[in-house]
Amino acid sequence: MLTSITFQGKILSLMCISKTSVLVAGFRTMLHVQHCCKRMRRTTLSATLLLASCKRQSRVAFSASSSVQAPDDGKCFVTTPIFYVNAAPHLGHLYSAIIADAIQRYKKMRGATATIFSTGTDEHGLKIQQATKQLRVPPLDFCSDNSKKFRDLFDAFNINYTHFIRTTNNDHIAAVQEFFNVLISKDFIYKGEYTGWYCVSDEAFLTESQVTEKKTVDGVIKVSAESGHVVEWSSETNYKFKLSLLEDDLKHWLKCDNRVKPKRFLYDLRNTVDRGLMDLSVSRPKERVSWGVPLPNDPEHTVYVWVDALVNYLTAAGYPSIPSVWPANVHVLGKDILHFHGVIWPALLIAAGLEPPEQLLVHSHWTVDGVKMSKSLGNVICPNELKDTITAEGVRYLLLRQGTPHADGSWRTKEGVSMLNADLANGLGNLVHRCTGKSLNKDQVFPPLCQDFVESSTHAQMLTKTMKTVKEDVANCYDDYNFYLGIDRIMHLVHCANLMVQEEKPWTLKDKPEELNSVLHLALSAGRAAALMLLPIVPTYATRLLDTLAVPQRDRTWSQIEAFPNASHTSVPLGQRIAPFKKINV
Ligand code: MSP
């Protein structure tokens, strides 16, 4: 649709408003643009100028285009949620972090250079305040101890973050206060009354329809319908954010079909916004919640912990100065915190004149016997204990191989061990190990390929056919964050390679060096490709394989995947042979 902006009867500019073109944010922003226009003396004005002018004002221009950042455009800003420090980390927390880590590793393999990968701990709010009161420990000491547990966990599982944000750090507190000041200056904050439900466990204000009754031994209690956590009645004066004014802007942001993955969560958000939004309380009285960031305009109140926490993404980017890496390419989060990231966060950013995130990747939950793993239910699986039995790489592999973003998964260690043994030890590990072992590979080389052999062997042809498409297949899966599907494709390649080895029986080919070399060449090429594609998933394991195959560091990129390493038809010496993954017995 073409929209004209007129001033004193003259058409100043034509703006193309369509799904795929650059748009100004929302209808009110259109009005705002017209207002800007009137203030300008010039009679002709380009759409670009209008947009630039718009960007300087309270609302920001952003695209509803269905294409989001390509993975190889040089910019990569990926985040995990920041984790509550009221308890030690469990497997569910690690899952969010491992997904984000795999994404940033993949984006880097695709050529992204300017990388921010942020994580951290969420240390303010009533939830933490209550935990420290119960334990009678100074809040900051308690937070520091538990924050360190997350850091240690991430180090142990190779989570390669660049920024670890603690909400009790001074730079973050300054960022929160500055952000709040901006919202005040743009007239999005007013003082009001809140009378309704509050869920301490979720740190969420809830409406009557979000609350339900639950029978317990002590009688009927009120709980959050979504999380099942207890709610309490609250009546207090606090500061409110004019969320209701941003409905159109949010609808516009949610127009992009790739904005939220998987799609079911996008539809949930669209429905929420279509039902209408109410203004949101963004502060708590200090006498109730003292463990928080004081409001810059009224120290008798502290900033609502979710606003405080969401600003961590800006802190990571260096706010108040905004580098070119803003906005985040993808926020990774669990489905329980979708509303905060898919409604409140983009609305806050738009109100502050900043671009909302490009994309959200929402994952489902790990359950134990069908129940969400959580500390309050006492059914958590400790990742460190798992690491002792199935290794850190084993945990990473299973979380990404068995976890599907769109549906909850039930964690079963025993089944997982069989999968690890089949895929990593017997499948890929064995393929590379036996083709680099002295009994088959006496010269310890990556041998050349004889094309005639491929033409004579149906299994070799099957393998080369798979090799030709696997890179793109896996990339399509990874681009959609369906790591489980990508790994499935990689394992298919490994099976084809093992089948070829099995059928061609290289141990019988000692007198036919060209054939023997060709079998080894094809098997090792498949192993090389599989290891490269597994780098984002199991970096240590994949690195060991690539070291054994002597793949140079500079070649450990996505674009090198299909390149047959020995195009020159000469033997290339192998690297040091290390057992990549030992079979697990439990
Ligand atoms: N502090 C907030 C996030 C603020 S981000 C601005 C919070 N913290 S949390 O510690 O409760 O959760 C952090 C992440 O762990 C979320 O993505 C959540 O979905 C994830 N998980 C917690 N339990 C989980 C499972 N049982 N399964 C999978 N992930 C789950 O929310």
Side-chain angles (χ1 to χ4, degrees):
M1 179 177 110
L2 276 179
T3 299
S4 62
I5 295 174
T6 54
F7 175 52
Q8 292 178 350
K10 287 188 184 133
I11 293 176
L12 295 186
S13 175
L14 284 175
M15 291 189 77
C16 183
I17 309 288
S18 78
K19 273 187 200 149
T20 50
S21 64
V22 175
L23 283 179
V24 281
F27 180 64
R28 276 179 313 286
T29 313
M30 258 322 281
L31 293 180
H32 180 78
V33 169
Q34 284 176 323
H35 175 71
C36 293
C37 224
K38 282 185 188 152
R39 288 206 314 235
M40 298 182 89
R41 294 258 158 106
R42 287 173 34 194
T43 50
T44 53
L45 204 55
S46 74
T48 321
L49 259 179
L50 271 169
L51 285 172
S53 147
C54 181
K55 272 189 177 177
R56 284 193 299 272
Q57 301 299 323
S58 63
R59 305 290 173 75
V60 67
F62 55 87
S63 170
S65 149
S66 63
S67 70
V68 291
Q69 202 80 40
D72 36 14
D73 77 336
K75 169 184 171 292
C76 166
F77 184 0
V78 180
T79 70
T80 77
I82 50 170
F83 300 88
Y84 287 130
V85 287
N86 61 318
H90 62 66
L91 195 65
H93 300 133
L94 184 63
Y95 185 45
S96 294
I98 283 180
I99 294 174
D101 184 62
I103 293 173
Q104 64 90 23
R105 285 176 190 271
Y106 170 60
K107 283 182 183 265
K108 279 201 274 193
M109 279 186 85
R110 293 288 301 262
T113 46
T115 306
I116 294 184
F117 172 25
S118 76
T119 187
T121 42
D122 190 350
E123 306 186 9
H124 286 131
L126 203 50
K127 192 172 163 126
I128 314 295
Q129 188 175 303
Q130 287 181 350
T132 59
K133 212 169 167 186
Q134 246 173 18
L135 295 168
R136 294 166 189 272
V137 287
L140 194 55
D141 292 356
F142 173 83
C143 291
S144 299
D145 285 353
N146 277 329
S147 179
K148 186 168 179 307
K149 288 183 189 156
F150 281 93
R151 237 179 221 268
D152 291 346
L153 179 82
F154 296 162
D155 291 345
F157 283 84
N158 233 329
I159 309 294
N160 223 349
Y161 59 83
T162 58
H163 293 65
F164 191 96
I165 308 298
R166 292 185 59 186
T167 56
T168 48
N169 277 354
N170 288 337
D171 56 345
H172 174 73
I173 292 170
V176 172
Q177 293 190 320
E178 172 61 19
F179 187 73
F180 212 91
N181 270 332
V182 172
L183 293 177
I184 294 170
S185 73
K186 306 243 182 215
D187 196 26
F188 272 97
I189 301 291
Y190 65 97
K191 203 170 186 175
E193 293 297 321
Y194 178 74
T195 306
W197 299 101
Y198 191 81
C199 177
V200 177
S201 198
D202 305 338
E203 294 282 13
F205 295 94
L206 300 175
T207 60
E208 201 62 54
S209 65
Q210 293 171 306
V211 169
T212 183
E213 291 189 334
K214 185 177 162 188
K215 279 189 194 141
T216 68
V217 279
D218 303 323
V220 175
I221 55 163
K222 295 270 192 184
V223 295
S224 156
E226 198 185 322
S227 69
H229 293 134
V230 174
V231 298
E232 59 187 36
W233 187 253
S234 178
S235 183
E236 64 193 36
T237 300
N238 54 35
Y239 286 84
K240 293 197 170 182
F241 169 60
K242 296 180 185 171
L243 180 61
S244 57
L245 285 185
L246 290 142
E247 274 172 25
D248 287 344
D249 301 77
L250 286 171
K251 280 181 190 162
H252 178 71
W253 180 69
L254 290 168
K255 254 186 202 155
C256 167
D257 280 341
N258 282 329
R259 187 69 75 206
V260 181
K261 297 262 177 187
K263 272 244 174 80
R264 54 175 286 205
F265 297 114
L266 175 69
Y267 299 144
D268 286 352
L269 287 174
R270 284 180 182 164
N271 289 339
T272 304
V273 179
D274 285 346
R275 281 196 300 270
L277 299 171
M278 289 188 332
D279 289 352
L280 172 80
S281 293
V282 286
S283 74
R284 308 286 323 263
K286 199 178 168 200
E287 77 265 11
R288 253 176 208 261
V289 188
S290 57
W291 188 238
V293 178
L295 248 61
N297 59 325
D298 185 348
E300 287 313 301
H301 293 256
T302 52
V303 176
Y304 172 41
V305 66
W306 264 103
V307 175
D308 173 354
L310 287 162
V311 171
N312 96 83
Y313 303 129
L314 281 170
T315 308
Y319 188 79
S321 51
I322 291 288
S324 56
V325 76
W326 192 262
N329 296 94
V330 53
H331 290 313
V332 176
L333 51 125
K335 65 180 184 182
D336 52 323
I337 53 176
L338 175 62
H339 181 81
F340 300 101
H341 286 82
V343 174
I344 297 174
W345 182 227
L348 286 168
L349 286 169
I350 295 165
L354 293 165
E355 270 194 70
E358 238 163 47
Q359 200 174 37
L360 306 181
L361 167 62
V362 187
H363 65 75
S364 297
H365 288 149
W366 285 101
T367 62
V368 180
D369 299 325
V371 179
K372 184 192 170 199
M373 198 182 294
S374 87
K375 175 76 184 172
S376 52
L377 296 170
N379 63 349
V380 297
I381 292 176
C382 170
N384 285 318
E385 282 172 18
L386 264 186
K387 178 174 160 265
D388 293 342
T389 50
I390 67 170
T391 75
E393 294 280 287
V395 177
R396 283 184 70 110
Y397 186 76
L398 290 181
L399 284 173
L400 296 170
R401 168 90 156 117
Q402 298 188 316
T404 56
H406 57 277
D408 289 352
S410 193
W411 180 265
R412 292 192 189 90
T413 306
K414 216 169 156 197
E415 278 174 22
V417 168
S418 309
M419 184 173 256
L420 286 175
N421 285 339
D423 289 2
L424 298 188
N426 299 338
L428 181 54
N430 207 20
L431 175 75
V432 174
H433 213 58
R434 66 178 170 171
C435 294
T436 53
K438 283 223 166 102
S439 70
L440 284 185
N441 193 328
K442 134 171 116 24
D443 298 333
Q444 293 293 282
V445 288
F446 204 128
L449 174 72
C450 168
Q451 199 55 43
D452 293 346
F453 170 76
V454 179
E455 271 137 43
S456 68
S457 159
T458 43
H459 290 102
Q461 282 164 23
M462 253 172 63
L463 178 61
T464 48
K465 200 172 157 210
T466 308
M467 287 281 284
K468 277 189 190 129
T469 54
V470 68
K471 173 183 156 186
E472 208 182 319
D473 285 351
V474 175
N476 287 339
C477 301
Y478 283 9
D479 286 342
D480 271 348
Y481 311 121
N482 286 322
F483 290 109
Y484 72 106
L485 288 177
I487 299 171
D488 216 46
R489 306 276 194 279
I490 299 170
M491 284 305 135
H492 174 67
L493 172 73
V494 171
H495 294 323
C496 286
N498 271 326
L499 183 67
M500 191 251 336
V501 173
Q502 208 57 33
E503 294 297 319
E504 296 303 335
K505 301 183 179 56
W507 52 91
T508 65
L509 299 174
K510 296 213 165 115
D511 298 331
K512 298 177 181 167
E514 284 201 339
E515 288 180 31
L516 174 61
N517 280 349
S518 299
V519 173
L520 295 182
H521 178 96
L522 289 173
L524 293 179
S525 295
R528 178 186 184 274
L532 284 169
M533 291 184 286
L534 283 175
L535 269 174
I537 314 292
V538 276
T540 309
Y541 172 74
T543 299
R544 273 195 212 128
L545 289 170
L546 294 169
D547 288 348
T548 298
L549 299 174
V551 176
Q553 283 298 336
R554 63 170 186 281
D555 290 348
R556 299 184 185 187
T557 65
W558 203 262
S559 61
Q560 288 295 321
I561 286 169
E562 84 269 83
F564 279 75
N566 200 8
S568 60
H569 294 268
T570 55
S571 291
V572 178
L574 292 173
Q576 202 195 355
R577 195 158 160 265
I578 314 160
F581 197 87
K582 288 204 183 93
K583 209 166 163 177
I584 303 164
N585 297 309
V586 281

